[in-house]
Amino acid sequence: MGSMFRSEEVALVQLFLPTAAAYTCVSQLGELGLVEFRDLNASVSAFQRRFVVDVRRCEELEKTFTFLQEEVRRAGLVLPRPEGRLPAPPPRDLLRIQEETERLAQELRDVRGNQQSLRVQLHQLQLHAAVLGQGHGPQLATAHTYGASERTPLLQAPGGPHQDLRVNFVAGAVEPHKAPALERLLWRACRGFLIASFSELERPLEHPVTGEPATWMTFLISYWGEQIGQKIRKITDCFHCHVFPFLEQEEARRAALQQLQQQSQEMQEVLGETERFLSQVLGRVQQLLPPAQVQVRKMKAVYLALNQCSVSTTHKCLIAEAWCATRDLPALQEALRDSSAEEGVSAVAHRIPSRDMPPTLIRTNRFTASFQGIVDSYGVGRYQEVNPAPYTIITFPFLFAVMFGDVGHGLLMFLFALAMVLAENRPAVKAAQNEIWQTFFGGRYLLLLMGLFSVYTGFIYNECFSRASSIFPSGWSVAAMANQSGWSDAFLAQHTMLTLDPNVTGVFLGPYPFGIDPIWSLAANHLSFLNSFKMKMSVILGVVHMAFGVVLGVFNHMHFGQRHRLLLETLPELTFLLGLFGYLVFLVIYKWLHVSAASAASAPSILIHFINMFLFSHSPTNRPLYPQQEVVQAMLVVLALAMVPVLLLGTPLHLLCRHRRRRRRPTGRKQEDKAGLLGLPDASVNGWGSDEEKAGGLEDEQEAELVPSEVFMHQAIHTIEFCLGCISNTASYLRLWALSLAHAQLSEVLWAMVMRIGLGLGREVGVAAVVLVPIFAAFAVMTVAILLVMEGLSAFLHALRLHWVEFQNKFYSGTGYKLSPFTFAATDD
Amino acid sequence: VRVRKPARLTASGARLLWRMLSALPSGGPENLQRPPLGPSSRLGIPRPAMTAHSFALPVIIFTTFWGLIGIAGPWFVPKGPNRGVIITMLVATAVCCYLFWLIAILAQLNPLFGPQLKNETIWYVRFLWE
């Protein structure tokens, strides 16, 4: 059978890696991605392992890389993706990479620091120039006239010759939002002894650190008196204003301004040079960084893998244990041979037996991956137990389609999935980051099959956007009924609802050959017919699905050498299931075939027969379907009940007997079946104390520890689970009916409430055409949102539940773990 | 027996339809008048009732069809790594689809009750489908 039937054979291999070639061998294994290393130094902490120094060096390098990356990002540049194959570099190259990176980082830091200080200086110069250049005309004009003027203080300071006081100036710049506060404080503190004038700069200046433009306010304060001067200086200090020396003479000020402008020009030139150098450095970083990042990541991964190996000083080599698929063993040996041949030594790998349960490996392609993903979400299978995925490929879309059946909706889903499948190789599609899109895209093959099956079940249900189509002529003849019952027009006018009677000859002409007859979509009682049909269909599909699950368990029992379970578990389970619920299916089909309309009034009720079967009672009004029905039913119930103790006690008793027989012959032959090496993983259905995922079940030696009470307990749980589960799981399949009914009704309501109103508006040709456009838009949006997305998700979920619980608990344990090989593939992107 | 050419049949059918539509009442069915006679009487041929559906023929056809897919198909799958999966898919598809179709036709084989129709529907179907 194909490789998906059960897990591939996975073996434990022991690798002997000579110290000289260990690094290259492991790096080559990482490129191939064949093996999963086992940690042989689990008891050793991370800081005490052999290669911890190298790992630390790699981590420090990664820190520097992060710094460089941040700088590149700040400059608005983008790091290009690394091209080509970049193997992990040998250890001596690490030094070179380290040096280069350090040098680049240092240069970058220096240049940045320079740039920063230059910008601060430039900012100061620009402010100074702005302050000097700002015209505070009126104030300066009155500076020298301390005669009578509006602005001279009214209050004369007591004592002292006022006319001799000189006017001093304080000039500076303050941030605009602090200016009013400064003004107020100056007024309150030094009222009457100063004149302050504020004015705003025309152009905003860039803040040196943040780069935000800010419009500064310049001020010119003219005051007299030394103490006032000190107060003013303290206030301006407090407000973090930039204060510049202000010369009184016009020419001196102009000279200073010119000088300032010259200086700022020079400064800008220097700044330009600095920024050019910075971009050069960043260019080199862009070149060097991406491949170095990949290489160092791989190197770190290799060292972490080497840390898991144990050191053998006597042989001067590292010993590693790894899980490898048996099919890949030759490739593994070849890889080791090639990579160690360069050093002149030879690394070998050979298989060793193992007590632990190996990891599960199932190879999938892009089609089967999504179905295997569904199964793995429930639980990864135990090593070599039957994998439900290949059957899920068809049964999951089928059960979805039973709940979703509509040709129109199925076609839309199919076309959407087809578009995704045809465009799957386009890079734009693969690089999309949206998570929801990725979810849909990952399940494109799932959606494709779901849509396809929905089209099929839509044809069977005869629903296309809730409308039925008459591909074949209907099997019900209204004319025959009307003619033979005398339905004249007057009669029709009086009676609004009339029923066709299949007993009248010519009314029912035979079953519709493909699907449900279209006459039912016109009928008022079509739910009565459809409900009966869909309920019976759900039970039939459910019993078939579950019986299939029990049969799959046979393959598990045969493979693990537990043939006793075939007789003691599978046979009783099948008898119980088919004896009771298989019989129900038989009753349903029998009634379909043999009870016709002629005896419709006294038709037997299957439900009442089934209930009476369990209660061993009899309803006189319910006639039997076939002669001796009660005898047959009684026998079946007795048989099914007899199977329960077989299921309950069979396997434990058998195991106890075998255990006792073995103990009596301690040197007896030990079986060499597969159960020996891998333990007896009966946990597939019983869950025998194998809570740890890696340890297997019992072995020959451990059989001495067979605890009878535990065995009986687990088997009792399994029996109860199975028997009660039969009933509840069969009823659970009725959700197939429930959801398909819901979908049909929603679809019908949408049509009746939206489209039919639109189509029925207006007899004139023009009105309907115009009105239909928005109505169809509403219909389309609601179809997609409610019927496709919401109902689709709902049916998906329920189909998933049916698989995970009702189907898989008949044979699947799902307590394994996946083989996750040591590979660089994740670090390559 | 006179057989009219298809074009004239369509034309007469369209005229009949137009007359029936214009005879549709705005009120209830009390205003129903007996419409002009249906195509059968127009052509003068006593048309039989609907064609009877056999049960055996669809069963044979579909059993053969799904049987070919599910039983004969696996023999033609080319050898390759995916052979097992493709065979499983073919057989599962055949079983599921055949079973589903079979349930649908068996459920309608012996109906115990018939459809309940509105009088407008009866009137319309009677003269349009037959």
mmCIF file of all heavy atoms in Angstrom, chain A residues 167-207:
data_model
loop_
_atom_site.group_PDB
_atom_site.id
_atom_site.type_symbol
_atom_site.label_atom_id
_atom_site.label_comp_id
_atom_site.label_asym_id
_atom_site.label_seq_id
_atom_site.Cartn_x
_atom_site.Cartn_y
_atom_site.Cartn_z
ATOM 1 N N VAL A 167 21.252 100.332 29.994
ATOM 2 C CA VAL A 167 20.307 99.288 29.558
ATOM 3 C C VAL A 167 21.123 98.091 29.066
ATOM 4 O O VAL A 167 22.004 98.229 28.234
ATOM 5 C CB VAL A 167 19.395 99.783 28.421
ATOM 6 C CG1 VAL A 167 18.484 98.686 27.929
ATOM 7 C CG2 VAL A 167 18.585 100.970 28.909
ATOM 8 N N ASN A 168 20.779 96.970 29.620
ATOM 9 C CA ASN A 168 21.430 95.736 29.164
ATOM 10 C C ASN A 168 20.415 94.874 28.424
ATOM 11 O O ASN A 168 19.212 95.001 28.597
ATOM 12 C CB ASN A 168 21.989 94.949 30.341
ATOM 13 C CG ASN A 168 23.065 95.716 31.043
ATOM 14 O OD1 ASN A 168 23.908 96.335 30.379
ATOM 15 N ND2 ASN A 168 23.033 95.732 32.347
ATOM 16 N N PHE A 169 20.944 93.996 27.641
ATOM 17 C CA PHE A 169 20.059 93.146 26.835
ATOM 18 C C PHE A 169 20.327 91.678 27.139
ATOM 19 O O PHE A 169 21.457 91.263 27.348
ATOM 20 C CB PHE A 169 20.280 93.389 25.346
ATOM 21 C CG PHE A 169 19.879 94.750 24.919
ATOM 22 C CD1 PHE A 169 20.827 95.770 24.844
ATOM 23 C CD2 PHE A 169 18.568 95.022 24.610
ATOM 24 C CE1 PHE A 169 20.438 97.029 24.453
ATOM 25 C CE2 PHE A 169 18.185 96.282 24.228
ATOM 26 C CZ PHE A 169 19.131 97.306 24.150
ATOM 27 N N VAL A 170 19.278 90.958 27.114
ATOM 28 C CA VAL A 170 19.398 89.484 27.102
ATOM 29 C C VAL A 170 18.622 89.005 25.885
ATOM 30 O O VAL A 170 17.441 89.318 25.710
ATOM 31 C CB VAL A 170 18.811 88.866 28.377
ATOM 32 C CG1 VAL A 170 18.746 87.349 28.223
ATOM 33 C CG2 VAL A 170 19.637 89.259 29.573
ATOM 34 N N ALA A 171 19.329 88.276 25.055
ATOM 35 C CA ALA A 171 18.659 87.757 23.841
ATOM 36 C C ALA A 171 18.736 86.235 23.832
ATOM 37 O O ALA A 171 19.719 85.652 24.256
ATOM 38 C CB ALA A 171 19.334 88.298 22.589
ATOM 39 N N GLY A 172 17.709 85.644 23.363
ATOM 40 C CA GLY A 172 17.754 84.186 23.324
ATOM 41 C C GLY A 172 16.551 83.610 22.600
ATOM 42 O O GLY A 172 15.763 84.327 21.980
ATOM 43 N N ALA A 173 16.450 82.306 22.680
ATOM 44 C CA ALA A 173 15.336 81.622 22.008
ATOM 45 C C ALA A 173 14.713 80.650 22.986
ATOM 46 O O ALA A 173 15.400 80.045 23.816
ATOM 47 C CB ALA A 173 15.840 80.880 20.778
ATOM 48 N N VAL A 174 13.423 80.534 22.888
ATOM 49 C CA VAL A 174 12.695 79.644 23.801
ATOM 50 C C VAL A 174 11.690 78.837 22.973
ATOM 51 O O VAL A 174 11.261 79.285 21.897
ATOM 52 C CB VAL A 174 11.991 80.463 24.899
ATOM 53 C CG1 VAL A 174 10.845 81.285 24.302
ATOM 54 C CG2 VAL A 174 11.450 79.550 25.985
ATOM 55 N N GLU A 175 11.357 77.685 23.458
ATOM 56 C CA GLU A 175 10.368 76.873 22.744
ATOM 57 C C GLU A 175 9.014 77.549 22.808
ATOM 58 O O GLU A 175 8.668 78.147 23.816
ATOM 59 C CB GLU A 175 10.284 75.482 23.367
ATOM 60 C CG GLU A 175 11.415 74.580 22.917
ATOM 61 C CD GLU A 175 11.612 73.414 23.872
ATOM 62 O OE1 GLU A 175 10.750 73.221 24.749
ATOM 63 O OE2 GLU A 175 12.629 72.719 23.746
ATOM 64 N N PRO A 176 8.257 77.438 21.739
ATOM 65 C CA PRO A 176 7.036 78.243 21.619
ATOM 66 C C PRO A 176 6.009 77.967 22.709
ATOM 67 O O PRO A 176 5.327 78.884 23.158
ATOM 68 C CB PRO A 176 6.475 77.851 20.239
ATOM 69 C CG PRO A 176 7.170 76.591 19.863
ATOM 70 C CD PRO A 176 8.484 76.608 20.523
ATOM 71 N N HIS A 177 5.920 76.722 23.198
ATOM 72 C CA HIS A 177 4.870 76.483 24.178
ATOM 73 C C HIS A 177 5.259 76.986 25.559
ATOM 74 O O HIS A 177 4.434 77.048 26.459
ATOM 75 C CB HIS A 177 4.504 74.994 24.212
ATOM 76 C CG HIS A 177 5.689 74.105 24.463
ATOM 77 N ND1 HIS A 177 6.034 73.666 25.709
ATOM 78 C CD2 HIS A 177 6.616 73.601 23.612
ATOM 79 C CE1 HIS A 177 7.101 72.904 25.618
ATOM 80 N NE2 HIS A 177 7.489 72.843 24.369
ATOM 81 N N LYS A 178 6.563 77.327 25.725
ATOM 82 C CA LYS A 178 6.957 77.873 27.020
ATOM 83 C C LYS A 178 6.938 79.394 27.014
ATOM 84 O O LYS A 178 7.095 80.023 28.073
ATOM 85 C CB LYS A 178 8.380 77.418 27.358
ATOM 86 C CG LYS A 178 8.489 75.920 27.619
ATOM 87 C CD LYS A 178 9.875 75.609 28.132
ATOM 88 C CE LYS A 178 10.126 74.107 28.103
ATOM 89 N NZ LYS A 178 11.545 73.796 28.128
ATOM 90 N N ALA A 179 6.797 79.978 25.819
ATOM 91 C CA ALA A 179 6.947 81.440 25.728
ATOM 92 C C ALA A 179 5.945 82.196 26.586
ATOM 93 O O ALA A 179 6.341 83.116 27.320
ATOM 94 C CB ALA A 179 6.856 81.867 24.275
ATOM 95 N N PRO A 180 4.650 81.875 26.570
ATOM 96 C CA PRO A 180 3.720 82.665 27.397
ATOM 97 C C PRO A 180 4.058 82.561 28.871
ATOM 98 O O PRO A 180 3.988 83.555 29.610
ATOM 99 C CB PRO A 180 2.364 82.034 27.101
ATOM 100 C CG PRO A 180 2.539 81.265 25.855
ATOM 101 C CD PRO A 180 3.964 80.860 25.792
ATOM 102 N N ALA A 181 4.435 81.347 29.298
ATOM 103 C CA ALA A 181 4.764 81.197 30.716
ATOM 104 C C ALA A 181 5.974 82.039 31.087
ATOM 105 O O ALA A 181 6.017 82.660 32.160
ATOM 106 C CB ALA A 181 5.020 79.722 31.009
ATOM 107 N N LEU A 182 6.959 82.046 30.174
ATOM 108 C CA LEU A 182 8.162 82.853 30.431
ATOM 109 C C LEU A 182 7.799 84.326 30.561
ATOM 110 O O LEU A 182 8.229 85.031 31.483
ATOM 111 C CB LEU A 182 9.165 82.624 29.284
ATOM 112 C CG LEU A 182 10.464 83.428 29.359
ATOM 113 C CD1 LEU A 182 11.250 83.027 30.580
ATOM 114 C CD2 LEU A 182 11.308 83.192 28.120
ATOM 115 N N GLU A 183 6.970 84.765 29.627
ATOM 116 C CA GLU A 183 6.577 86.172 29.637
ATOM 117 C C GLU A 183 5.896 86.546 30.935
ATOM 118 O O GLU A 183 6.188 87.569 31.578
ATOM 119 C CB GLU A 183 5.642 86.407 28.452
ATOM 120 C CG GLU A 183 5.655 87.834 27.955
ATOM 121 C CD GLU A 183 4.889 87.956 26.654
ATOM 122 O OE1 GLU A 183 4.640 86.914 26.006
ATOM 123 O OE2 GLU A 183 4.547 89.085 26.289
ATOM 124 N N ARG A 184 4.978 85.651 31.360
ATOM 125 C CA ARG A 184 4.226 85.951 32.583
ATOM 126 C C ARG A 184 5.139 86.017 33.771
ATOM 127 O O ARG A 184 5.042 86.905 34.627
ATOM 128 C CB ARG A 184 3.184 84.850 32.806
ATOM 129 C CG ARG A 184 1.785 85.261 32.429
ATOM 130 C CD ARG A 184 0.764 84.381 33.119
ATOM 131 N NE ARG A 184 1.033 82.980 32.923
ATOM 132 C CZ ARG A 184 0.657 82.306 31.861
ATOM 133 N NH1 ARG A 184 -0.006 82.909 30.879
ATOM 134 N NH2 ARG A 184 0.943 81.039 31.741
ATOM 135 N N LEU A 185 6.082 85.037 33.829
ATOM 136 C CA LEU A 185 6.967 84.987 34.990
ATOM 137 C C LEU A 185 7.867 86.212 35.039
ATOM 138 O O LEU A 185 8.116 86.795 36.098
ATOM 139 C CB LEU A 185 7.782 83.696 34.928
ATOM 140 C CG LEU A 185 8.524 83.349 36.221
ATOM 141 C CD1 LEU A 185 7.546 83.301 37.375
ATOM 142 C CD2 LEU A 185 9.205 82.006 36.074
ATOM 143 N N LEU A 186 8.373 86.593 33.851
ATOM 144 C CA LEU A 186 9.231 87.781 33.799
ATOM 145 C C LEU A 186 8.461 89.017 34.276
ATOM 146 O O LEU A 186 8.952 89.840 35.053
ATOM 147 C CB LEU A 186 9.716 88.000 32.366
ATOM 148 C CG LEU A 186 10.836 87.073 31.882
ATOM 149 C CD1 LEU A 186 11.101 87.287 30.406
ATOM 150 C CD2 LEU A 186 12.115 87.334 32.672
ATOM 151 N N TRP A 187 7.244 89.136 33.826
ATOM 152 C CA TRP A 187 6.422 90.280 34.203
ATOM 153 C C TRP A 187 6.205 90.306 35.714
ATOM 154 O O TRP A 187 6.352 91.326 36.377
ATOM 155 C CB TRP A 187 5.096 90.202 33.467
ATOM 156 C CG TRP A 187 4.055 91.163 33.933
ATOM 157 C CD1 TRP A 187 2.888 90.871 34.537
ATOM 158 C CD2 TRP A 187 4.097 92.585 33.843
ATOM 159 N NE1 TRP A 187 2.190 91.978 34.835
ATOM 160 C CE2 TRP A 187 2.911 93.073 34.417
ATOM 161 C CE3 TRP A 187 5.032 93.502 33.349
ATOM 162 C CZ2 TRP A 187 2.616 94.430 34.506
ATOM 163 C CZ3 TRP A 187 4.725 94.859 33.444
ATOM 164 C CH2 TRP A 187 3.528 95.314 34.016
ATOM 165 N N ARG A 188 5.894 89.136 36.284
ATOM 166 C CA ARG A 188 5.609 89.102 37.709
ATOM 167 C C ARG A 188 6.836 89.364 38.538
ATOM 168 O O ARG A 188 6.796 90.015 39.559
ATOM 169 C CB ARG A 188 5.045 87.731 38.094
ATOM 170 C CG ARG A 188 3.636 87.519 37.633
ATOM 171 C CD ARG A 188 2.921 86.522 38.529
ATOM 172 N NE ARG A 188 1.706 86.090 37.856
ATOM 173 C CZ ARG A 188 1.472 84.855 37.492
ATOM 174 N NH1 ARG A 188 2.341 83.911 37.736
ATOM 175 N NH2 ARG A 188 0.344 84.561 36.866
ATOM 176 N N ALA A 189 7.974 88.801 38.064
ATOM 177 C CA ALA A 189 9.156 88.919 38.906
ATOM 178 C C ALA A 189 9.824 90.280 38.776
ATOM 179 O O ALA A 189 10.293 90.863 39.752
ATOM 180 C CB ALA A 189 10.143 87.809 38.534
ATOM 181 N N CYS A 190 9.906 90.742 37.536
ATOM 182 C CA CYS A 190 10.707 91.953 37.326
ATOM 183 C C CYS A 190 9.868 93.087 36.764
ATOM 184 O O CYS A 190 10.303 93.852 35.924
ATOM 185 C CB CYS A 190 11.847 91.669 36.349
ATOM 186 S SG CYS A 190 12.640 90.094 36.632
ATOM 187 N N ARG A 191 8.678 93.214 37.252
ATOM 188 C CA ARG A 191 7.757 94.173 36.662
ATOM 189 C C ARG A 191 8.305 95.572 36.727
ATOM 190 O O ARG A 191 8.746 96.026 37.757
ATOM 191 C CB ARG A 191 6.448 94.092 37.443
ATOM 192 C CG ARG A 191 5.431 95.105 37.017
ATOM 193 C CD ARG A 191 4.246 95.070 37.942
ATOM 194 N NE ARG A 191 4.227 93.903 38.789
ATOM 195 C CZ ARG A 191 3.090 93.431 39.299
ATOM 196 N NH1 ARG A 191 1.956 93.983 38.960
ATOM 197 N NH2 ARG A 191 3.135 92.413 40.113
ATOM 198 N N GLY A 192 8.247 96.176 35.596
ATOM 199 C CA GLY A 192 8.672 97.562 35.557
ATOM 200 C C GLY A 192 10.152 97.750 35.307
ATOM 201 O O GLY A 192 10.598 98.862 35.030
ATOM 202 N N PHE A 193 10.933 96.738 35.442
ATOM 203 C CA PHE A 193 12.359 96.941 35.248
ATOM 204 C C PHE A 193 12.868 96.329 33.963
ATOM 205 O O PHE A 193 14.062 96.297 33.727
ATOM 206 C CB PHE A 193 13.143 96.348 36.431
ATOM 207 C CG PHE A 193 12.962 97.171 37.671
ATOM 208 C CD1 PHE A 193 12.004 96.820 38.613
ATOM 209 C CD2 PHE A 193 13.723 98.318 37.882
ATOM 210 C CE1 PHE A 193 11.823 97.584 39.755
ATOM 211 C CE2 PHE A 193 13.550 99.066 39.021
ATOM 212 C CZ PHE A 193 12.597 98.708 39.955
ATOM 213 N N LEU A 194 11.951 95.760 33.191
ATOM 214 C CA LEU A 194 12.421 95.175 31.937
ATOM 215 C C LEU A 194 11.377 95.391 30.872
ATOM 216 O O LEU A 194 10.201 95.661 31.139
ATOM 217 C CB LEU A 194 12.738 93.682 32.066
ATOM 218 C CG LEU A 194 11.631 92.716 32.488
ATOM 219 C CD1 LEU A 194 10.632 92.427 31.352
ATOM 220 C CD2 LEU A 194 12.265 91.429 32.940
ATOM 221 N N ILE A 195 11.864 95.297 29.662
ATOM 222 C CA ILE A 195 10.964 95.293 28.506
ATOM 223 C C ILE A 195 11.310 94.036 27.729
ATOM 224 O O ILE A 195 12.458 93.830 27.350
ATOM 225 C CB ILE A 195 11.197 96.521 27.628
ATOM 226 C CG1 ILE A 195 10.903 97.786 28.425
ATOM 227 C CG2 ILE A 195 10.317 96.446 26.384
ATOM 228 C CD1 ILE A 195 11.385 99.013 27.704
ATOM 229 N N ALA A 196 10.307 93.212 27.549
ATOM 230 C CA ALA A 196 10.571 91.957 26.819
ATOM 231 C C ALA A 196 9.734 91.933 25.563
ATOM 232 O O ALA A 196 8.546 92.251 25.604
ATOM 233 C CB ALA A 196 10.234 90.761 27.697
ATOM 234 N N SER A 197 10.352 91.564 24.479
ATOM 235 C CA SER A 197 9.568 91.419 23.246
ATOM 236 C C SER A 197 9.843 90.029 22.666
ATOM 237 O O SER A 197 10.984 89.583 22.589
ATOM 238 C CB SER A 197 9.926 92.517 22.259
ATOM 239 O OG SER A 197 10.982 92.098 21.428
ATOM 240 N N PHE A 198 8.770 89.394 22.324
ATOM 241 C CA PHE A 198 8.850 88.038 21.776
ATOM 242 C C PHE A 198 8.445 88.062 20.312
ATOM 243 O O PHE A 198 7.518 88.762 19.939
ATOM 244 C CB PHE A 198 7.905 87.088 22.521
ATOM 245 C CG PHE A 198 8.361 86.757 23.899
ATOM 246 C CD1 PHE A 198 8.222 87.672 24.945
ATOM 247 C CD2 PHE A 198 8.941 85.536 24.157
ATOM 248 C CE1 PHE A 198 8.651 87.352 26.214
ATOM 249 C CE2 PHE A 198 9.356 85.218 25.433
ATOM 250 C CZ PHE A 198 9.218 86.126 26.471
ATOM 251 N N SER A 199 9.154 87.297 19.528
ATOM 252 C CA SER A 199 8.656 87.154 18.152
ATOM 253 C C SER A 199 9.035 85.770 17.654
ATOM 254 O O SER A 199 9.997 85.153 18.090
ATOM 255 C CB SER A 199 9.248 88.237 17.254
ATOM 256 O OG SER A 199 10.643 88.046 17.149
ATOM 257 N N GLU A 200 8.243 85.331 16.743
ATOM 258 C CA GLU A 200 8.402 83.959 16.270
ATOM 259 C C GLU A 200 9.281 83.932 15.042
ATOM 260 O O GLU A 200 9.251 84.825 14.213
ATOM 261 C CB GLU A 200 7.021 83.390 15.926
ATOM 262 C CG GLU A 200 6.949 81.897 15.973
ATOM 263 C CD GLU A 200 5.520 81.418 15.789
ATOM 264 O OE1 GLU A 200 4.607 82.175 16.174
ATOM 265 O OE2 GLU A 200 5.338 80.329 15.243
ATOM 266 N N LEU A 201 10.047 82.885 14.923
ATOM 267 C CA LEU A 201 10.852 82.718 13.722
ATOM 268 C C LEU A 201 9.946 82.334 12.556
ATOM 269 O O LEU A 201 8.922 81.695 12.724
ATOM 270 C CB LEU A 201 11.868 81.593 13.931
ATOM 271 C CG LEU A 201 13.029 81.861 14.877
ATOM 272 C CD1 LEU A 201 13.911 80.619 14.922
ATOM 273 C CD2 LEU A 201 13.847 83.040 14.382
ATOM 274 N N GLU A 202 10.418 82.741 11.346
ATOM 275 C CA GLU A 202 9.591 82.375 10.191
ATOM 276 C C GLU A 202 9.729 80.900 9.873
ATOM 277 O O GLU A 202 8.759 80.204 9.603
ATOM 278 C CB GLU A 202 9.997 83.192 8.959
ATOM 279 C CG GLU A 202 9.806 84.678 9.105
ATOM 280 C CD GLU A 202 11.109 85.338 9.471
ATOM 281 O OE1 GLU A 202 12.170 84.738 9.191
ATOM 282 O OE2 GLU A 202 11.075 86.411 10.067
ATOM 283 N N ARG A 203 11.014 80.417 9.818
ATOM 284 C CA ARG A 203 11.142 79.027 9.431
ATOM 285 C C ARG A 203 11.352 78.146 10.665
ATOM 286 O O ARG A 203 12.038 78.551 11.575
ATOM 287 C CB ARG A 203 12.376 78.772 8.542
ATOM 288 C CG ARG A 203 12.777 79.826 7.603
ATOM 289 C CD ARG A 203 14.075 79.423 6.869
ATOM 290 N NE ARG A 203 15.278 79.746 7.614
ATOM 291 C CZ ARG A 203 16.075 78.831 8.122
ATOM 292 N NH1 ARG A 203 15.776 77.541 8.007
ATOM 293 N NH2 ARG A 203 17.170 79.180 8.782
ATOM 294 N N PRO A 204 10.792 76.996 10.612
ATOM 295 C CA PRO A 204 11.054 76.069 11.713
ATOM 296 C C PRO A 204 12.430 75.435 11.539
ATOM 297 O O PRO A 204 12.910 75.235 10.425
ATOM 298 C CB PRO A 204 9.942 75.019 11.555
ATOM 299 C CG PRO A 204 9.571 75.089 10.113
ATOM 300 C CD PRO A 204 9.836 76.474 9.651
ATOM 301 N N LEU A 205 13.030 75.119 12.691
ATOM 302 C CA LEU A 205 14.325 74.455 12.670
ATOM 303 C C LEU A 205 14.144 73.015 13.118
ATOM 304 O O LEU A 205 13.280 72.713 13.928
ATOM 305 C CB LEU A 205 15.295 75.152 13.633
ATOM 306 C CG LEU A 205 15.695 76.563 13.252
ATOM 307 C CD1 LEU A 205 16.522 77.170 14.374
ATOM 308 C CD2 LEU A 205 16.518 76.539 11.972
ATOM 309 N N GLU A 206 14.972 72.150 12.578
ATOM 310 C CA GLU A 206 14.856 70.734 12.958
ATOM 311 C C GLU A 206 15.540 70.495 14.285
ATOM 312 O O GLU A 206 16.651 70.937 14.517
ATOM 313 C CB GLU A 206 15.529 69.880 11.892
ATOM 314 C CG GLU A 206 14.557 69.391 10.855
ATOM 315 C CD GLU A 206 15.210 68.331 9.982
ATOM 316 O OE1 GLU A 206 16.196 67.719 10.435
ATOM 317 O OE2 GLU A 206 14.721 68.142 8.868
ATOM 318 N N HIS A 207 14.878 69.751 15.119
ATOM 319 C CA HIS A 207 15.469 69.341 16.388
ATOM 320 C C HIS A 207 16.610 68.371 16.089
ATOM 321 O O HIS A 207 16.450 67.453 15.303
ATOM 322 C CB HIS A 207 14.389 68.653 17.244
ATOM 323 C CG HIS A 207 14.780 68.483 18.659
ATOM 324 N ND1 HIS A 207 15.451 67.383 19.098
ATOM 325 C CD2 HIS A 207 14.594 69.272 19.736
ATOM 326 C CE1 HIS A 207 15.656 67.479 20.396
ATOM 327 N NE2 HIS A 207 15.156 68.627 20.807
#
